[in-house]
Amino acid sequence: ILEPDMLARKPCLGEASLKGKRAWTFACRCQAHFPPAASVHPTSGYEMVAPKLRPDKAQHSRQQQFQATNSSDGQLVTSGRSKVLELLKEGENTYTNTPEMKAAVLEMEAQNPTINPAQRINSGAMHGTWKVFHAPHISNMSRYLFNTKFEPIIYRLGPNNSIISNVKFSSSLGNGWLSAAGTIHCIYDASVELRFERFWVDLGEGLREDVVTQGSQKGSGYIATAVDQVIGSIGRAAFFPQFAVFPIHYLDDELTVFEFTPLSSKISARRVGST
């Protein structure tokens, strides 16, 4: 059941409104996941302090590593964002999947500083290379696919709402890259839709970051081979737009958390480059 304020959400400016059954489907699937919009950052005004632990205390609760001091009254608080960044410094990644990272991401979501994250993405402010560091459904899926690892998972956001996804897979049977490219669109204040049009596979370590058809104006990259065109046709046939809508739970200039709704799984990523 959608609450009244959910029904009042407006589509993003500059995007054509979705109509009929498709619009209602997206509203039902995505708006139910919208987090409350925050107008003021909860941790503003706090000076972050990360005390060093003695080697013999390294196994103590990590809560002690992420204390912050309010400059006015000295009250101890914590910041989910600072916890996430510290855990990344310690080497956390998609496959460590620790309870500490899960808790830190949840806490960070509650401190989301961006009111309309999807609109900010479409504005071009988030262009660059983003690398996934927390995605529980990915590590769980690996156990059922002959322990195949999917890392790194990289998204590249560029001009004209372009997005390129490159995912490396590694297993005892071989390794390579699974890639897709298309556009990303804001459809609600806090939800984006991916529209992938090109799909290709690279075997081995080599990666073609983008592949285009002969004479295409959709991007610059390697010219698609006959095999690429077959894979592209299969990818487009297997691509379901209903599964390509992602509510955004957190966004700042460096970190983001969005949701893969079919599995109700959160995906966290960090911007690691400007291009």
Side-chain angles (χ1 to χ4, degrees):
I1 299 176
L2 298 179
E3 297 179 2
D5 64 323
M6 293 179 180
L7 296 176
R9 296 278 186 176
K10 296 180 180 179
C12 295
L13 298 175
E15 289 284 338
S17 300
L18 297 175
K19 297 180 180 180
K21 182 177 179 181
R22 186 166 178 245
W24 179 250
T25 299
F26 283 138
C28 291
R29 293 180 61 83
C30 301
Q31 289 181 335
H33 296 279
F34 286 160
S39 58
V40 179
H41 197 293
T43 59
S44 295
Y46 291 105
E47 179 184 358
M48 301 308 302
V49 178
K52 295 182 179 179
L53 298 181
R54 301 200 318 267
D56 61 322
K57 299 295 183 181
Q59 298 303 318
H60 281 199
S61 171
R62 287 183 174 177
Q63 290 290 339
Q64 299 175 20
Q65 301 180 45
F66 309 109
Q67 294 181 341
T69 304
N70 183 321
S71 57
S72 61
D73 59 14
Q75 181 181 1
L76 292 179
V77 295
T78 57
S79 165
R81 186 180 191 278
S82 66
K83 293 180 183 181
V84 167
L85 292 175
E86 187 65 28
L87 289 167
L88 289 174
K89 274 187 189 177
E90 295 178 7
E92 290 273 357
N93 58 55
T94 308
Y95 281 90
T96 51
N97 199 21
T98 62
E100 289 89 351
M101 179 60 85
K102 181 179 180 180
V105 168
L106 286 173
E107 187 174 344
M108 185 174 70
E109 287 180 42
Q111 301 165 349
N112 182 23
T114 306
I115 298 176
N116 299 318
Q119 290 188 19
R120 183 162 174 75
I121 288 177
N122 261 174
S123 73
M126 298 292 103
H127 286 180
T129 301
W130 295 77
K131 180 181 177 182
V132 171
F133 63 83
H134 184 66
H137 71 286
I138 295 294
S139 55
N140 292 336
M141 181 174 63
S142 292
R143 293 199 296 265
Y144 302 98
L145 294 174
F146 307 102
N147 291 320
T148 300
K149 283 193 173 183
F150 299 93
E151 189 177 35
I153 301 172
I154 297 172
Y155 297 102
R156 307 177 196 276
L157 305 185
N160 302 317
N161 295 342
S162 67
I163 180 170
I164 299 173
S165 168
N166 303 123
V167 180
K168 185 176 182 180
F169 65 90
S170 304
S171 73
S172 58
L173 301 178
N175 58 69
W177 293 83
L178 307 174
S179 300
T183 52
I184 182 171
H185 299 268
C186 165
I187 59 172
Y188 292 101
D189 289 342
S191 186
V192 294
E193 179 187 15
L194 303 186
R195 302 172 188 171
F196 286 131
E197 302 167 347
R198 306 189 299 281
F199 302 84
W200 66 100
V201 175
D202 292 301
L203 298 179
E205 295 297 326
L207 168 65
R208 294 171 296 168
E209 291 184 359
D210 195 6
V211 168
V212 298
T213 56
Q214 186 75 40
S216 172
Q217 301 299 316
K218 293 182 179 180
S220 60
Y222 293 88
I223 300 301
T225 65
V227 174
D228 292 328
Q229 293 181 30
V230 171
I231 292 173
S233 298
I234 296 173
R236 286 187 291 274
F239 181 70
F240 296 97
Q242 296 87 345
F243 295 160
V245 176
F246 297 86
I248 302 171
H249 294 264
Y250 181 93
L251 180 69
D252 64 29
D253 289 341
E254 185 180 4
L255 299 171
T256 188
V257 180
F258 53 96
E259 183 173 355
F260 181 55
T261 53
L263 297 179
S264 298
S265 179
K266 304 287 180 61
I267 302 171
S268 304
R270 183 182 191 182
R271 181 151 61 172
V272 295
S274 58
T275 57

